[in-house]
Amino acid sequence: LTQLAGAAPALGLELKPKWALDPPPGRPCRFCHQQTLKLQAGAVHAASPFCPLDLFSACPPRVARALHGLVQQPQNNLKVFL
C-alpha cells in the first residue's frame, strides 16, 4: 500500500472475541473453559486472562481488563497491523 504524503501511518486491529454468551450460573464462560482445557493439554503455555464477557460488559474497568488480557496473551484473538 502506498502512503499519502504527510499522512500518519495507519494502525489496524482485529479482535476475535469468540463465544461471548452468558454461561449458566456458577459456570465459567465457554472461552475461559476452553482456555483451561488448552492449558491442561499443553496447547498453550499460559491461559489467557482475556474474557469476552468482560469485553462486552459495558463496565469500563472490565472492558479495560479484557483489552489488557488480549495484549498479554493474544492467542489468535488479537492481531495488530501497521
Side-chain angles (χ1 to χ4, degrees):
L1 297 171
T2 58
Q3 187 171 328
L4 299 174
L11 175 69
L13 295 176
E14 178 183 7
L15 295 173
K16 299 189 306 184
K18 302 176 184 172
W19 296 101
L21 301 174
D22 279 327
R27 304 221 26 210
C29 75
R30 186 178 188 282
F31 181 87
C32 294
H33 180 69
Q34 291 295 108
Q35 286 295 302
T36 301
L37 294 177
K38 284 181 181 182
L39 186 61
Q40 290 172 349
V44 296
H45 69 282
S48 174
F50 167 72
C51 178
L53 299 180
D54 288 339
L55 184 63
F56 297 113
S57 70
C59 174
R62 287 182 65 191
V63 172
R65 180 174 56 211
L67 294 173
H68 184 72
L70 278 173
V71 171
Q72 284 182 327
Q73 295 282 338
Q75 293 184 7
N76 199 34
N77 296 301
L78 171 69
K79 293 183 181 180
V80 179
F81 304 93
L82 295 177

